[in-house]
Amino acid sequence: MSTATEEQITIETARKLGLLPEEFEKIITILGRTPNFTELSIFSVMWSEHCSYKNSITWLKTLPKDGPHMLAKAGEENAGLVAIGDGLACAFKIESHNHPSAIEPYQGAATGVGGINRDIFTMGARPIAQLNSLRFGNPALEKTKWLMRGVVKGIGDYGNAFGIPTVGGEIFFDDCYNVNILVNAMSVGIVKIGETVSATSYGEGNTVFIVGSSTGKDGIHGATFASGDLHEDSHEDLPSVQVGDPFMEKLLLEATLEVIKTGAVIGMQDMGAAGIICSTSEMSAKGKHGMRIHLDKVPTRQANMKGWEILLSESQERMLVVVKKGEEDLVRRVFEKWDLNCTEIGVVTDGDRLHFYMNNELLADIPADDLVLGGGAPIYQREYTEPSYIAKNKAFNIDTIVVPEDLKKVMVHLASHPNIASKRWITSQYDSMVGTINLTTNRPSDAAVVEVRGTKKALALTTDCNPRYVYADPETGCAIAVAEAARNIICAGGNPSAVTNCLNFGNPYNPEVYWQFVHAIKGMSSACLTFETPVTGGNVSFYNQSKNEKGEVPVFPTPTIGMIGIIADKKKIMTLDFKQEGDTLFLLGTARNDINSSEYLYSYCNVKNSPAPFLDLKEEFNVQQLVKNLIAKGLVESAHDVSDGGLFITLLESALPNGLGFKIETDEDLRKDAFLFGESQSRILVSVHAEKLDAFVELVADSELDFINLGEVTSDQVMIDETNYGTVAEFKELYENAIGKLMC
């Protein structure tokens, strides 16, 4: 069987494919013999971290999975699924494409977008919106600029051609991402409840089809590539980066949604990481059946491909479809209509084994369940130790920082810092209006808001994570990521519903990295329980690090949170922009002498070690509920959360859209830098019209939460404590053009 003899396969062969010695021994036990090269390659990709979550699943299982809207729990389907009312459900998920994007940024990012959209429409949902979360190194470096141009163009070109609007996201710069950038892509779709399709296979004799693009050599061992370190020779792994075709994907989308309506489909799954082997094994294991697959029948675009290459290829725009026996012609006609490959490559079998043939030669014989998460894939609990730098963070004393005399210098620094400044250079390359469902294109809001066609509802969508906070304190920092996501949903007029996550960390075998991971999970759990936002699934991406003379250098721990919220009435959307002069400005929540891990402390004061900003989840929840009630009663004109850059940036961002200004007084009991630039959590800026002032104050006073009457909206000046710091127009020039000037 196969092209390699048992004697040629050794522990060294397994090691080169990324398998541990004990894993090689486990494979021999499972098979009752030494695997051949094809079988070993199968185990290497299916037991890679990328596919099996072997180093993370123990802790992932501790995340809350139950909620009032849940239709599919984490791991049950390709993406999360929650009910949104009116007989509709929202399918959504976020995933990483980090290593491919660091090597070939255009295709790496583009295929990340393509892959996450396929996860949505293979469930039967039509994608309606995309978001992304990006992390780059020092923007002054030419390499960073090259990577950023490629990633942004890849996302824009694929999404624009595919016809789904990119409605939101975030971007963050730090030297820790100079080599290993992070590219996380999120997709959101809508489907009628009861019309979803599962990623399963069952029914002896049912037919197995491969549909979509032809198979090439791109992406072979891509899952293994994603489960290892980046290094100076990583460019040699370029063949592991897939190549995308958004026009083909658009055809595949329409054909998929049409073929589901025929009723002939038993199950289907996207061919992402690990290609055919992943789809066949996961679908078979879920349906408790086997498959007999003839790889020589798979349409290829390169001559003389070996069986294992076809099996492991990660060529894009392909799916595996299991069809009811006797109804194959219904399926063929649909794909022929859309001019797509629809090729019968096998059959569902009784039992649990996968048999792969090439020209009638048996290449591999493996039990499906032993390949997959929840079956025989290995599960590890790694050691973890608190990093030494945590003690330095805890030792920070705010009294060592002198309050600057020139506050405007700080304001200019923050308004023009790439972590805070307008991302217009990026977003202008994305089509945010295709499909005409984006309700916040010209009405800025803390979350993106998209219309749910045929209803009065809208969805509020966001991605959030400040990795500097998570580095400072993983538990608090990750809880802040969830809290800020929920706060953004609330400020947009929505009700937080559920979470998907993309967990980007360094090497899990490093006890300090694993400590970051464990404590981030703990913080996520406590926050998700507080806001009743269960985790529907997502992605774990380990090995995000580089090497220098000091050894392995992991990126900041970056647990990106994707959250959706439901807006019951799209007429009640809340935006962040000041509406008119004379409105009163209030800060809801407690202001504190806290500059911990703020952009001000980190990049202006150049202090790299401090704790995470203050967070109390109970206080955070109460502030959010207060704002939710204020919006529901129509008592506020705008709402904008205080986050990166502190209160000053929040005020500036609310002033910019309509060219208005603000006049405020700071709290005499607090340091001016903490009041204006600190990033302590659970604070929301609102503006109130004079006619609603009494009702507003009465409701807020009854809440017993702290609030401050800051001042008022003015024409175009920035006035703080009777000092004029210039016009909003001056700051707009800095804020709007900072990143564009860097990229010139």
Side-chain angles (χ1 to χ4, degrees):
M1 181 169 60
S2 186
T3 56
T5 65
E6 293 184 2
E7 288 73 26
Q8 292 173 300
I9 303 300
T10 65
I11 287 181
E12 181 62 20
T13 314
R15 186 192 65 78
K16 290 179 179 178
L17 290 175
L19 290 162
L20 299 173
E22 57 267 34
E23 291 171 345
F24 181 62
E25 295 302 324
K26 183 176 181 179
I27 293 167
I28 293 174
T29 300
I30 289 170
L31 296 179
R33 55 179 170 77
T34 301
N36 60 44
F37 180 76
T38 298
E39 292 167 334
L40 193 66
S41 295
I42 288 171
F43 278 102
S44 78
V45 294
M46 291 305 299
W47 285 7
S48 68
E49 183 65 41
H50 192 74
C51 290
S52 74
Y53 296 135
K54 59 189 177 184
N55 290 307
S56 57
I57 190 60
T58 297
W59 286 98
L60 295 178
K61 286 182 177 179
T62 67
L63 291 168
K65 297 178 178 62
D66 295 309
H69 307 137
M70 293 290 287
L71 294 175
K73 293 185 180 181
E76 290 182 348
E77 296 296 347
N78 282 339
L81 193 69
V82 295
I84 60 174
D86 295 307
L88 298 175
C90 175
F92 69 111
K93 189 179 183 182
I94 189 169
E95 283 196 341
S96 65
H97 230 220
N98 301 335
H99 283 25
S101 299
I103 301 301
E104 210 298 295
Y106 180 85
Q107 289 293 353
T111 52
V113 171
I116 196 64
N117 278 309
R118 284 195 304 280
D119 278 340
I120 300 304
F121 69 74
T122 52
M123 291 183 66
R126 179 176 290 276
I128 62 167
Q130 301 172 139
L131 298 91
N132 54 68
S133 178
L134 311 176
R135 304 287 186 266
F136 294 103
N138 187 335
L141 298 177
E142 288 304 314
K143 182 178 180 181
T144 297
K145 294 177 184 179
W146 173 73
L147 288 167
M148 188 169 161
R149 288 190 189 99
V151 165
V152 171
K153 185 169 175 56
I155 291 172
D157 284 0
Y158 200 103
N160 296 352
F162 185 51
I164 306 299
T166 300
V167 298
E170 57 176 350
I171 186 168
F172 185 92
F173 298 89
D174 191 271
D175 286 351
C176 73
Y177 303 106
N178 279 346
V179 174
N180 200 136
I181 64 175
L182 303 182
V183 176
N184 298 173
M186 178 174 169
S187 181
V188 179
I190 299 293
V191 63
K192 288 183 179 180
I193 293 175
E195 294 188 3
T196 55
V197 172
S198 182
T200 189
S201 167
Y202 56 83
E204 184 180 1
N206 285 332
T207 306
V208 181
F209 284 93
I210 188 170
V211 301
S213 291
S214 297
T215 298
K217 293 186 178 182
D218 47 321
I220 293 173
H221 271 295
T224 307
F225 169 56
S227 304
D229 296 342
L230 286 180
H231 48 78
E232 61 183 7
D233 296 322
S234 286
H235 63 277
E236 295 178 2
D237 294 325
L238 191 59
S240 291
V241 180
Q242 308 94 327
V243 178
D245 183 344
F247 299 103
M248 178 71 76
E249 176 129 327
K250 178 63 175 174
L251 297 176
L252 190 57
L253 162 65
E254 300 301 337
T256 297
L257 297 183
E258 184 174 333
V259 80
I260 289 170
K261 294 178 181 178
T262 67
V265 175
I266 292 289
M268 67 171 65
Q269 183 165 328
D270 161 46
M271 287 185 191
I276 292 174
I277 183 55
C278 186
S279 300
T280 54
S281 59
E282 289 184 350
M283 293 177 73
S284 296
K286 185 172 183 178
K288 301 188 183 306
H289 275 65
M291 285 187 189
R292 183 168 64 250
I293 301 294
H294 295 273
L295 297 172
D296 51 286
K297 294 184 179 180
V298 174
T300 59
R301 60 173 180 263
Q302 289 169 270
N304 302 317
M305 286 185 68
K306 297 181 177 65
W308 67 269
E309 292 176 323
I310 296 170
L311 192 56
L312 272 59
S313 167
E314 295 184 7
S315 292
Q316 298 292 284
E317 290 80 45
R318 300 178 304 154
M319 299 194 310
L320 198 75
V321 184
V322 177
V323 177
K324 295 176 184 177
K325 186 177 182 180
E327 299 187 15
E328 293 87 354
D329 284 345
L330 288 174
V331 173
R332 288 191 185 98
R333 283 198 293 268
V334 171
F335 285 96
E336 286 172 2
K337 169 187 171 182
W338 292 98
D339 197 26
L340 292 168
N341 288 326
C342 180
T343 306
E344 181 179 338
I345 63 169
V347 66
V348 177
T349 59
D350 192 19
D352 66 345
R353 300 193 78 84
L354 299 173
H355 295 95
F356 297 100
Y357 291 84
M358 188 73 177
N359 299 319
N360 294 319
E361 178 187 1
L362 181 62
L363 296 187
D365 175 2
I366 298 179
D369 195 62
D370 283 306
L371 294 174
V372 302
L373 171 67
I379 296 176
Y380 301 116
Q381 296 188 48
R382 298 297 173 197
E383 296 180 359
Y384 53 94
T385 305
E386 181 177 288
S388 58
Y389 75 81
I390 294 293
K392 296 179 183 178
N393 292 352
K394 292 177 179 178
F396 171 72
N397 184 347
I398 192 173
D399 294 333
T400 62
I401 305 299
V402 178
V403 178
E405 293 184 10
D406 187 351
L407 292 178
K408 185 166 184 180
K409 189 176 179 182
V410 182
M411 295 173 188
V412 168
H413 170 82
L414 293 176
S416 58
H417 195 285
N419 281 346
I420 290 172
S422 167
K423 309 307 185 286
R424 185 179 62 174
W425 182 89
I426 297 165
T427 58
S428 63
Q429 299 182 54
Y430 303 153
D431 190 338
S432 64
M433 299 182 69
V434 61
T436 63
I437 64 164
N438 187 358
L439 301 179
T440 48
T441 301
N442 300 310
R443 301 176 63 201
S445 183
D446 275 13
V449 180
V450 295
E451 181 180 12
V452 180
R453 290 277 173 81
T455 77
K456 65 177 185 178
K457 288 184 170 66
L459 293 178
L461 315 169
T462 188
T463 57
D464 287 286
C465 179
N466 187 318
R468 192 168 56 245
Y469 298 171
V470 188
Y471 176 77
D473 181 333
E475 190 162 344
T476 300
C478 192
I480 287 175
V482 176
E484 184 175 355
R487 198 159 63 238
N488 286 335
I489 299 288
I490 289 284
C491 286
N495 186 41
S497 176
V499 160
T500 180
N501 59 48
C502 196
L503 309 179
N504 308 273
F505 289 82
N507 189 334
Y509 295 87
N510 179 335
E512 294 190 351
V513 167
Y514 205 72
W515 183 90
Q516 294 173 330
F517 173 75
V518 169
H519 284 265
I521 293 292
K522 291 180 178 180
M524 189 186 308
S525 291
S526 58
C528 286
L529 288 170
T530 298
F531 303 114
E532 292 187 298
T533 52
V535 178
T536 62
N539 176 223
V540 177
S541 176
F542 281 134
Y543 303 99
N544 291 292
Q545 57 194 32
S546 56
K547 293 183 180 179
N548 61 21
E549 64 278 359
K550 297 179 181 179
E552 292 182 351
V553 182
V555 301
F556 282 166
T558 311
T560 303
I561 301 297
M563 186 180 289
I564 69 161
I566 301 169
I567 300 176
D569 185 350
K570 57 193 172 191
K571 294 180 180 178
K572 298 272 183 86
I573 294 169
M574 181 52 58
T575 57
L576 62 82
D577 53 315
F578 296 152
K579 302 303 187 296
Q580 57 267 322
E581 291 182 55
D583 284 354
T584 305
L585 297 173
F586 288 90
L587 180 64
L588 306 177
T590 304
R592 292 179 166 86
N593 270 324
D594 181 359
I595 58 173
N596 292 344
S597 290
S598 61
E599 192 65 61
Y600 157 70
L601 181 66
Y602 190 84
S603 63
Y604 184 83
C605 301
N606 202 32
V607 174
K608 307 302 183 185
N609 290 98
S610 67
F614 179 85
L615 173 72
D616 179 280
L617 285 172
K618 183 178 179 181
E619 177 185 326
E620 174 76 44
F621 179 79
N622 290 337
V623 170
Q624 290 188 19
Q625 292 305 300
L626 172 61
V627 173
K628 178 181 175 180
N629 290 336
L630 290 168
I631 293 172
K633 294 179 182 297
L635 296 180
V636 295
E637 299 295 299
S638 67
H640 190 17
D641 82 310
V642 178
S643 55
D644 300 352
L647 177 60
F648 170 74
I649 292 298
T650 303
L651 287 159
L652 182 63
E653 289 175 342
S654 293
L656 286 173
N658 297 320
L660 295 168
F662 52 90
K663 179 181 180 181
I664 69 162
E665 298 288 330
T666 62
D667 188 331
E668 293 180 353
D669 295 331
L670 299 176
R671 294 168 54 119
K672 273 191 168 54
D673 57 351
F675 189 80
L676 291 172
F677 314 126
E679 297 177 14
S680 65
Q681 301 296 293
S682 315
R683 293 179 296 153
I684 295 174
L685 172 72
V686 296
S687 61
V688 183
H689 193 277
E691 294 178 355
K692 299 177 180 178
L693 201 53
D694 290 344
F696 170 87
V697 172
E698 182 180 357
L699 195 155
V700 174
D702 286 346
S703 74
E704 299 184 354
L705 290 168
D706 289 342
F707 69 102
I708 301 171
N709 185 332
L710 290 170
E712 65 179 10
V713 178
T714 63
S715 58
D716 65 348
Q717 302 294 307
V718 175
M719 295 284 295
I720 301 175
D721 295 332
E722 302 300 326
T723 299
N724 191 326
Y725 288 95
T727 66
V728 168
E730 292 176 42
F731 285 103
K732 183 175 183 177
E733 170 65 24
L734 295 169
Y735 182 85
E736 292 285 350
N737 299 312
I739 291 181
K741 288 180 178 178
L742 276 170
M743 296 303 293
C744 288

